[in-house]
Amino acid sequence: MGALLAAGILLGGSIALERQAGALENGVARTPPMGWNSWNTFGCDINETLIKQMADTIVSSGLRDLGYEYVVVDDCWFNPARDSAGNLQGNPSRFPSGMKALGDYLHARGLKFGIYQVPVDRTCAQYFGGYPGATGSQGHEVQDARQFAAWGVDYLKYDWCSPNGTIDDQVRTFAKMRDALAATGRPIVYSINPNSIHAKTGPQRDWGDVANMWRTTEDITNKWDTGQTNGYPMGIQNIVNVTIPLASYARPGAFNDPDMMEVGRGGMTDTEMRSHFALWAIMAAPLMAGNDLRAMSQATATILKNQNLIAINQDPLGLQARQVGNDGTRRVLAKRLGNGDVAVALFNQGGTTTTVSTTASAIGLAGGSFTLRDAWTNAVSTSAGTISATVPSHGTVVYRVSGGTPPSPTPSPTPSGHPGGCTAAYRLVNDWGTGFESEVTVSNDGPSPLDGWTVKMTLAGGQTITSLWNGVNTGTSGAITVKNASYNGTIAGNGSTTFGFTAGGAGSTAPAGVTCTSP
């Protein structure tokens, strides 16, 4: 859903940030969103003066021009009661000018307006008794989406905030708002958190068929390691452990979200803060600052403004770094970039300084002469193939490696009319006698992204589709065809997406001839 995004270009040995035409495809942001969110520092203690001050600081500090454009107003912005027509309202004492006026203020400064809501009856603050009312979007999805569009909202953070529901319930419920937002015709980045007050379903599937970004873990805190596997609160090291294995899910317009950043909020050393930002950058994570920007130190500003790392994060390929080495202490991540370079993170998880090393061949480059640019110092060095650095405890050195022979480019899509690299698997979810619910998982059986898919199948006699989601169907009985929706046409290498449907008739007989092709 929409963003005007920054990407890094190497110009004369330095990295310049350039707003790219074509950063949107079908209204979907191709690179991770960047901006600021109110929750980590201010929680419920927010008002329009604070938000405006933060917006003004984003502009005056130069952060906007580096790509930080979304200003997200988190929980507690709303009136505890809807109006007589059931519409959401801004809290009149906190936001006396109204939410549309706030959006206009942000837009006038070249920024974008983000807002918070939940798919259940109560927001997280309401659930825990920290804020009155019950104003969630449950039963109001279409109405609220239209309201957000009318206010000029550009980004929706949609937080589960309930212990109830299976992962399938979550997919269906999150999809209601996804479809409601799409129906408004306004590009709105859709950010979901399925883990909130719930079993941690974020890392259990590729949510790219549902949202532009999805939380992988419980909430972050400003600590390096809290000892959690995936429970509240999560430290930086704990979040990295969960998110690194999910690299195959990330792609243009769909990103793993390891939560808002804690850079500048204390609780960690400067080395750990720098490592935090570097790891978020190379993991293609949304870069959402969470500190009080009005009072940030020079050290914090230096981290948040690192143009080399922002360029790596905003690379148009939209890839998350993959792990190429890990001995328990020394961890190596590599992210292929659009111009053929590879970004490499040498991460020291241990308690003492150590040397972390890899090779050009291990990160997918061939040849005998390479140039390494240090993302922190901007120093340039050359190598015949060894990539190595002395890294302090909890530190991360990042090199942008160029030269040699880059990895093979992604193959072109399979020509039209020929079978694509996809398979389709049918599963009956529920059969209640007079009707049933089923789903079909479409899998990419190759290592390269698959662009578009079509499933064909023949329903048994007496079976008629009554509703279908995550796809577009032609026909409702007998031989039917289902094509991808606009938001889930791209399937990452060895990844998958799922569409589902309900139908009249008994579901005990599976469809015949379930096949998948890619144009």
Side-chain angles (χ1 to χ4, degrees), residues 121-440:
D121 62 333
R122 292 174 291 172
T123 70
C124 285
Q126 290 173 331
Y127 179 91
F128 286 110
Y131 195 85
T135 50
S137 283
Q138 187 176 57
H140 294 271
E141 290 86 358
V142 172
Q143 182 178 25
D144 289 356
R146 290 173 177 169
Q147 184 68 80
F148 296 147
W151 287 341
V153 167
D154 305 292
Y155 178 114
L156 174 63
K157 177 181 174 182
Y158 209 49
D159 206 358
W160 187 253
C161 291
S162 171
N164 301 319
T166 66
I167 190 170
D168 290 336
D169 292 333
Q170 290 186 308
V171 170
R172 284 189 289 270
T173 303
F174 279 125
K176 290 179 182 179
M177 181 56 79
R178 175 204 65 200
D179 295 342
L181 293 173
T184 70
R186 180 176 181 80
I188 298 176
V189 169
Y190 189 32
S191 168
I192 65 170
N193 180 8
N195 308 306
S196 185
I197 320 177
H198 192 273
K200 307 308 165 234
T201 51
Q204 293 184 27
R205 75 186 299 274
D206 177 355
W207 292 87
D209 57 340
V210 177
N212 296 120
M213 48 189 277
W214 54 94
R215 281 276 298 282
T216 56
T217 71
E218 253 288 3
D219 287 1
I220 195 171
T221 193
N222 55 334
K223 295 289 185 290
W224 181 255
D225 187 347
T226 62
Q228 296 280 1
T229 299
N230 200 346
Y232 180 82
M234 295 288 281
I236 304 308
Q237 177 70 71
N238 316 119
I239 290 175
V240 168
N241 291 342
V242 174
T243 307
I244 283 176
L246 308 179
S248 64
Y249 295 161
R251 56 193 181 275
F255 302 100
N256 293 304
D257 176 14
D259 208 359
M260 303 163 288
M261 294 187 293
E262 296 282 2
V263 175
R265 295 199 63 243
M268 288 181 277
T269 66
D270 184 63
T271 294
E272 290 168 342
M273 293 284 191
R274 288 155 61 94
S275 198
H276 171 17
F277 187 78
L279 291 166
W280 261 234
I282 203 163
M283 289 193 301
L287 298 181
M288 305 299 292
N291 58 311
D292 185 345
L293 300 173
R294 301 167 303 179
M296 64 179 168
S297 67
Q298 183 57 52
T300 295
T302 297
I303 294 171
L304 292 177
K305 293 181 178 182
N306 185 302
Q307 295 186 31
N308 292 331
L309 291 171
I310 291 172
I312 288 167
N313 177 263
Q314 294 289 294
D315 184 80
L317 284 186
L319 299 178
Q320 177 175 325
R322 293 177 180 264
Q323 184 166 275
V324 297
N326 180 16
D327 65 2
T329 297
R330 294 171 284 260
R331 208 160 188 170
V332 179
L333 309 175
K335 172 180 165 73
R336 183 163 57 90
L337 305 175
N339 70 343
D341 293 353
V342 177
V344 179
L346 305 177
F347 173 32
N348 175 12
Q349 299 179 140
T352 58
T353 298
T354 190
T355 299
V356 185
S357 302
T358 188
T359 63
S361 62
I363 64 169
L365 292 173
S369 178
F370 304 93
T371 299
L372 281 61
R373 180 182 296 275
D374 188 313
W376 289 113
T377 67
N378 215 34
V380 176
S381 59
T382 59
S383 171
T386 298
I387 302 167
S388 182
T390 300
V391 186
S393 171
H394 301 168
T396 303
V397 171
V398 177
Y399 290 122
R400 184 166 182 145
V401 183
S402 57
T405 304
S408 299
T410 301
S412 300
T414 305
S416 179
H418 292 266
C422 64
T423 56
Y426 172 86
R427 182 174 79 92
L428 178 65
V429 175
N430 189 20
D431 183 359
W432 52 87
T434 58
F436 62 97
E437 178 185 353
S438 296
E439 65 180 22
V440 176

